[in-house]
Structures are given as structure tokens and as C-alpha cells.
Amino acid sequence: MTTVKSKHYIPHIDGLRAIAVLAVLLFHLDVPFLGGGFIGVDIFFVISGYLITNIIQREIGAGTFSLTNFYARRVKRIFPALFVMLVMTSAIAIAMLPPEAFGYHLTSLRMAAGQISNFFFVNELDYFDTSAQSAALLHTWSLGVEEQFYLVWPFLLLVSNRFLPIKKAYILIILIGISSLALSEYLVRTDMMQAFYMLHARAWELAIGGILAFDIVPRAKKFAPYLAVLGCALIGYGMIFLNAAHFPGLNALFPCLGAALIIYSGLDTQSFVHRALSMRWVVFIGLISYSLYLWHWPLIIFYKGYFAQDLSFLAQIGLSTASFVVAILSYYLVECTTRYCRWRPWTIIVVGVLTMVTLIVGSNVLKKHAQSSWRITQSLDADITDPNQWVKTCSDEGGAYDDSCIIGPNKDGYEVILSGDSHASHYIPTVLAWAQENGLTTRIFMRGACRTWQENDGARFKNGKRDTYCEELSDNFFTTLEQDKAIQYVFLAQRFPKGSDNEKRSLMRIKAFGKQTVFLGAVNEFAENPNHCFVRGHLLMTAIFPKNDAETCREFDEAYNAEILEKTQSVFIPMLRDLGVSYFDAALYLDPPYDAAGRFLYMDKNHLNIHGAQHLILPFKEFMKADQDE
């Protein structure tokens, strides 16, 4: 099929698209020395800003612009390939995702179909977090940003052209760009998730392309080759040296200005850079870049989730090849077929919206079958995979002040306080059993991912956002120890204690209150969630690719644990001894990770389930008796 190109077509922009998508692909394939490959998305934003602004301004100037026609073209361009990918990835998810991951996939599918997945991921997942490898649709966040841009941008340009001469309409775009860049830099320091995922923090990148489209910068043919080389250098710098720290913000200027320089310098003159970007094979990669972007990430994620987290060289070659093959098929069979259909604009929009609604409804129906026997031949009971009954209430925001999190007969004079992060929460049933046997009341004072028993040593963040509640808990923990005189026992826990200066200061301050202080020890961990690993051996996919590690994935890797707990063993535990703080070494009773009835003791890679907590009750009671007898 021959692709019909507009008379306004600029080949080197497709070449720039190729650079952008290859950067993202290589970054996601974990290729060394390209730690900043994620900047490919920023290059896409600049290109989109330039092309869309160019189209709208040209049509406004000619008196032919129509919102209906504009949105119909966007629907034809974006929806078909995206929706096909969503359907196909859902089919793969049915065959190879365990229940929790399957439900998460369907939730993100609804958001992606509705063009708002960035709103979903901003509260769920750090793009640079390794846990992001469970989200096969994470990459659709950038499509959400672009779709929201398409909704807003035409109206801004219409307003600009209504109140300003057409050649002066760029003034509003410049103001938006400067404001958005300032906001992005501010959010990088205060709310990194919002800075990364949201349109208002990315609008300046699109505005850079938009300003180019107004052609207000005088052309400098003589310097075009040098500007193109500078643009390549800025992009190359970003690909190699930028990382997750302080991004986007001002650091995103490197790729964005680089992309803008390459576009600008090639509008009149074709330097060797532009000729290289206009080579047929480079342009072809640019033409399939949308489909390549859509497909590469789900293929990588599904492979990592089922076969191996670490990609070998052969796996990298295989996944990149598969990504290109699927992208080429998607481009010719889906994109080219639908982009030039002759349906009326309103018909296209209605069909697009109805398809969107169908996907959303269908995902809700599928979600009810997350644990169906036709999909999973052997599932796990909730008592293995769920946290204990107090975690949700007492570990969520506000839970530390909930009356239901003071458990026992003496709510106004509780004698025991349990404090820490989520690793304190899995000890709740253990501590409660001991306390209840001794007629004591326990207050649960904790928060997941929060060092509640440590002094504040600076601003704290959670999911990229300032966590003022965690900071408040730390201050109030010490106030509580000072004011609540009935407290006799202080139980503390935390993942990966390392014996830091702040840990030492905090423990010394706690000890000064004269309470009996016990640290509930760090537990052994698994490199991946052992329950997900177990279930993977009983999915539809195992009929094609059998998994024989259903039991071995529930065995500890001693070398892995020695590495992650090295500081705990060599620094923290000796520090506790010097401070006179008792240490309950739970790891002694969790290897192997099964109780006498053969029930598995972990709910994920590093948290105990209810069986694990109950398994520790007897040794904990014996430990406390011995500790009190000393």
C-alpha cells in the first residue's frame, strides 16, 4: 500500500521520530549507556506541538479550519492502532497474568481507552520504579498527554487568533510555555509524579514545537548545518547522561531544544544531518514509530513477567525484532487502512467513541473473571495473598489516629505501641496475640513506606509527592511517647534498617523515655513475588510454555538476601546491642517459608501473610518472656 503524503510533508521530521522511538525502545530493552532514552517521548511532544500547530494555523489562515474535521483526523490517526493493541494485549493478559496483575491491567486498559491513563498512573506508579514492569500499558501515559493536548490546543489557538492578529497569536503560546516550564521545574522539586505525567507540566514541550510553527524566528541558512549538529548533540547528551533525577523540569530542555533545532534548521536547508534523517530506511522507522511505540513495551513487559526479568542479549535482539515485525503489520494493516477511510467526520468520531466505550465495558466484564478456573487452573486462597485484617485501616492515611487501631481493654491507657512502615504491619497479629495474653492494649501507629519512629531529617516523599502525613506521624510519635504515660512497651519495625545516624539518634531518643523497646527484625526476601511466580505455573500460557519453577520460586536466594540485608546484619543489629534495644530475629523462624501445615508464609516478596504472623506468635512469646527475665 502506498502512503499518500501531503505537500507540506517534511521527511526529516519522520527521521526525528525514528530517533525518538529508537531511544525509547533501547531504553526499555535495558541497553547500557542509554539511561536517558526515555527522552524520546519529549522529542515526540515537540514534533506533535509543531505539526498540530502548523496544521491548525494554516487552516485558520485559509478559513477552512473545522473542529469536527480536526478531531476526526485525530481519531483516525490515534484510535485504531491503539485499540487493536489494547485488545491484543488483553488477550495475552488473559493467558499469562495472575489475578492481581490481571485486574491492574484491565483497570489501566480502561484508562488508556478513555485517553486518561496519565491520570491513573500519576497516583499509582513511578515510571522509573522497577515495579513499573508489571504495567504493560504504562507507556500509554504519553498518549493521554497528547490527547488532552489535542482537546485544549485548538481552542487556545482559536482564542489567540480571535483577539490577536494571526501572526501575533504566538504570544499566548509563549506565555503558556514559560508558565508550564516554571511549573514543571517547581513540581520536579515537590511532586515528581505530577511533573512527569501531567499535561500542565509538559505543555511547554509541546509549546516549543508550537512556537516553531509560527515561523517567528528568522531563518539562518548559513548556520543551519551547525544548528542541526548542536541539536543532535543536545539529544545525544540527554540520551546518555540524563536520568530520573530532576526530570523533566529544566533538564528536559536538552532534548526539546535539540529536537526544535533540528526541525528549524531543516525548514529551508538540507544539511547532512537532515539528509541522514531523510534516508528511506530512517524515514520508514519514523512512519511506523507510532505502532512501534505502542507495541514494544507490552512485548517487553509480558516477556519479563513470564520468562525472565533480566534481558539477555539474545532476548534483546528477539524482542526488538518482534517489536518491528508487529509494528510493520500494525502500520500497514491498521494505520494505513483506517487513516484514509472516506467516512464522514461525525461518523468517525461516533465510531471511535463507541469503540472506546465497548473496550471500557468489556474490561469491566473481564475483570470479574480474574480468578476464574477457565483462566487459572490453580489459584491461591486470599489468606495467602492478602494482608491481615488491620493493615488497610491502620496503615492508610489517618489510620494511626483511628480508634479501631487501639486494640484491647484499655483504650484510654494503652500499654503497647507498634510503630513503623509496612514491615511493622505484618507483625500486628503477632504482637496482638502476645499483648492479649498479657491483658495489654496495643496502639498501631504506622504508615506504609513511612519511617514513623524516626525523627524527621528533611522533607519526605511518597510516589514523588511531599508526604506531610508521614512527617506529621514522626513528630507525633515522639509526642505520644512523652504524653501517654501508660505505655510500657515500644515495638518498632522497618524494611532494610541500615544503622544510619538518624536511626541511632531516634533510637536513643526513644530509649530516653524509659520504655522497654524491641525491634521486630527484618525478614528474608524474595527477588520476585513468589505467589505470582507460583500462579504463573498454572495459567493458560503454561500449556504452550510450561513453567517448572512453581515450587523453586518459593525458595530463598541466600546470596540475594545476604546482599540486601548486609547493613542490617553488620551495622544495625550491633548498634541495637550497644543501645540496649532488644532484637527479635524473625528470619530464624521463616526459613523454610512454610508452617507445620505446609501453608506458605509470605503474601508477596517481602511481607508476611496471616499465616506468617501466626507462625511467629509462639517464638515471639518465648522471646518476650526471655527478654523480660533478663
Side-chain angles (χ1 to χ4, degrees):
M1 178 180 294
T2 302
T3 301
V4 179
K5 294 185 174 66
S6 164
K7 64 179 180 179
H8 302 288
Y9 175 69
I10 304 173
H12 72 263
I13 290 184
D14 268 329
L16 191 57
R17 277 196 179 111
I19 299 299
V21 77
L22 289 175
V24 174
L25 173 64
L26 295 175
F27 172 69
H28 286 156
L29 285 171
D30 302 327
V31 173
F33 311 116
L34 283 176
F38 54 86
I39 67 167
V41 174
D42 304 85
I43 296 172
F44 278 128
F45 286 157
V46 174
I47 293 172
S48 291
Y50 173 76
L51 293 176
I52 295 303
T53 305
N54 209 337
I55 291 169
I56 296 173
Q57 281 297 109
R58 190 169 61 243
E59 293 182 353
I60 288 175
T64 60
F65 179 73
S66 162
L67 284 171
T68 304
N69 289 338
F70 174 79
Y71 290 126
R73 289 197 300 266
R74 292 299 90 207
V75 168
K76 285 197 296 182
R77 178 73 177 96
I78 302 297
F79 282 17
L82 171 64
F83 289 169
V84 169
M85 183 274 293
L86 294 179
V87 170
M88 296 301 292
T89 54
S90 296
I92 298 171
I94 288 171
M96 63 187 304
L97 290 186
E100 182 182 349
F102 184 64
Y104 187 88
H105 175 85
L106 293 176
T107 300
S108 59
L109 182 148
R110 290 196 296 278
M111 301 298 170
Q115 317 301 307
I116 54 171
S117 61
N118 56 323
F119 282 88
F120 172 64
F121 290 120
V122 73
N123 294 313
E124 291 287 327
L125 206 56
D126 184 344
Y127 181 82
F128 299 101
D129 192 336
T130 54
S131 65
Q133 293 180 352
S134 65
L137 300 178
L138 175 63
H139 64 318
T140 62
W141 74 268
S142 65
L143 304 183
V145 170
E146 289 214 22
E147 285 299 308
Q148 292 143 34
F149 164 70
Y150 298 147
L151 287 175
V152 173
W153 208 245
F155 292 98
L156 289 175
L157 292 176
L158 286 170
V159 169
S160 298
N161 284 282
R162 172 68 177 82
F163 295 102
L164 293 168
I166 190 165
K167 290 294 185 181
K168 299 289 185 180
Y170 64 84
I171 294 174
L172 179 60
I173 309 307
I174 291 176
L175 292 175
I176 290 172
I178 292 172
S179 301
S180 174
L181 177 57
L183 179 61
S184 178
E185 180 66 17
Y186 169 76
L187 289 173
V188 160
R189 301 169 186 274
T190 59
D191 191 343
M192 289 190 66
M193 297 278 277
Q194 194 172 161
F196 192 89
Y197 284 116
M198 303 307 290
L199 174 61
H200 51 264
R202 294 284 192 165
W204 67 270
E205 302 183 19
L206 294 144
I208 285 179
I211 293 166
L212 273 182
F214 280 95
D215 200 20
I216 60 174
V217 182
R219 302 289 173 83
K221 295 182 181 181
K222 183 169 61 174
F223 299 106
Y226 307 106
L227 294 176
V229 170
L230 177 59
C232 291
L234 290 173
I235 290 174
Y237 173 83
M239 287 183 186
I240 297 170
F241 295 108
L242 290 183
N243 53 48
H246 205 90
F247 193 89
L250 292 174
N251 276 335
L253 280 169
F254 289 102
C256 291
L257 290 179
L261 285 173
I262 290 173
I263 295 171
Y264 162 76
S265 59
L267 295 177
D268 283 333
T269 304
Q270 289 290 290
S271 70
F272 72 94
V273 170
H274 302 99
R275 288 194 295 273
L277 291 174
S278 299
M279 289 189 294
R280 291 186 64 180
W281 69 270
V282 181
V283 168
F284 179 72
I285 295 175
L287 290 173
I288 67 168
S289 61
Y290 177 53
S291 285
L292 184 57
Y293 181 80
L294 285 177
W295 277 103
H296 81 282
W297 178 248
L299 292 175
I300 292 170
I301 290 309
F302 285 133
Y303 178 90
K304 283 185 172 183
Y306 193 81
F307 295 104
Q309 285 289 316
D310 297 322
L311 298 179
S312 66
F313 178 71
L314 286 178
Q316 290 173 330
I317 295 296
L319 285 167
S320 58
T321 302
S323 297
F324 270 95
V325 169
V326 177
I328 291 169
L329 291 173
S330 173
Y331 175 70
Y332 283 112
L333 298 180
V334 182
E335 289 192 66
C336 290
T337 300
T338 58
R339 196 182 304 178
Y340 304 103
C341 75
R342 301 297 182 184
W343 292 355
R344 293 178 178 178
W346 269 114
T347 303
I348 292 170
I349 293 172
V350 169
V351 169
V353 171
L354 288 177
T355 307
M356 178 195 302
V357 171
T358 301
L359 283 172
I360 293 171
V361 173
S363 69
N364 275 321
V365 173
L366 269 179
K367 195 170 184 178
K368 297 176 182 179
H369 295 278
Q371 302 196 54
S372 294
S373 58
W374 63 267
R375 202 181 75 81
I376 301 176
T377 58
Q378 183 175 340
S379 58
L380 296 170
D381 294 333
D383 58 356
I384 291 179
T385 59
D386 290 349
N388 63 69
Q389 69 187 81
W390 296 278
V391 169
K392 183 167 181 58
T393 299
C394 302
S395 286
D396 281 354
E397 188 159 336
Y401 307 113
D402 194 308
D403 284 346
S404 66
C405 297
I406 302 177
I407 304 165
N410 311 313
K411 286 186 177 288
D412 294 327
Y414 52 88
E415 302 89 356
V416 179
I417 188 168
L418 169 61
S419 184
D421 58 11
S422 61
H423 279 233
S425 68
H426 64 200
Y427 281 112
I428 294 174
T430 309
V431 172
L432 287 180
W434 167 80
Q436 288 168 354
E437 183 177 275
N438 290 275
L440 304 174
T441 299
T442 303
R443 181 177 183 184
I444 302 169
F445 195 93
M446 64 182 58
R447 160 76 178 275
C450 177
R451 305 184 304 274
T452 53
W453 58 271
Q454 289 190 45
E455 294 179 336
N456 285 315
D457 56 350
R460 298 187 183 183
F461 292 86
K462 183 176 183 179
N463 292 332
K465 300 179 182 179
R466 180 80 177 265
D467 194 348
T468 54
Y469 175 67
C470 177
E471 296 169 9
E472 172 195 310
L473 281 186
S474 292
D475 292 336
N476 287 347
F477 172 71
F478 290 100
T479 302
T480 299
L481 290 184
E482 181 179 4
Q483 294 180 349
D484 294 359
K485 305 300 184 182
I487 297 175
Q488 302 172 33
Y489 299 92
V490 179
F491 294 106
L492 310 172
Q494 179 184 308
R495 188 186 184 197
F496 294 157
K498 294 180 172 60
S500 68
D501 290 341
N502 190 47
E503 289 171 352
K504 184 175 183 178
R505 284 195 304 272
S506 302
L507 288 167
M508 291 175 66
R509 187 176 173 186
I510 293 168
K511 283 287 293 180
F513 289 108
K515 321 292 185 183
Q516 184 169 344
T517 307
V518 176
F519 195 91
L520 304 174
V523 299
N524 291 325
E525 299 197 6
F526 295 89
E528 66 168 316
N529 189 324
N531 292 321
H532 287 182
C533 178
F534 178 83
V535 172
R536 281 204 309 268
H538 304 281
L539 298 168
L540 292 175
M541 182 63 75
T542 55
I544 306 171
F545 299 105
K547 297 284 286 185
N548 299 315
D549 59 352
E551 293 302 331
T552 57
C553 65
R554 286 181 162 187
E555 297 174 359
F556 291 120
D557 183 331
E558 293 183 7
Y560 173 77
N561 276 283
E563 179 182 354
I564 64 174
L565 295 175
E566 193 275 329
K567 288 286 187 183
T568 302
Q569 295 293 333
S570 65
V571 180
F572 183 71
I573 295 177
M575 183 184 78
L576 292 180
R577 284 198 294 266
D578 293 341
L579 295 174
V581 176
S582 302
Y583 184 80
F584 174 62
D585 193 351
L588 295 174
Y589 311 101
L590 297 171
D591 191 7
Y594 295 90
D595 64 12
R599 294 172 298 197
F600 192 60
L601 304 179
Y602 281 72
M603 74 173 201
D604 57 27
K605 62 186 292 184
N606 55 60
H607 294 98
L608 304 176
N609 56 30
I610 186 64
H611 300 308
Q614 291 171 342
H615 180 69
L616 293 176
I617 290 175
L618 181 58
F620 180 67
K621 289 179 178 179
E622 294 174 347
F623 166 83
M624 288 301 296
K625 185 176 186 302
D627 195 51
Q628 290 167 330
D629 290 342
E630 290 181 358

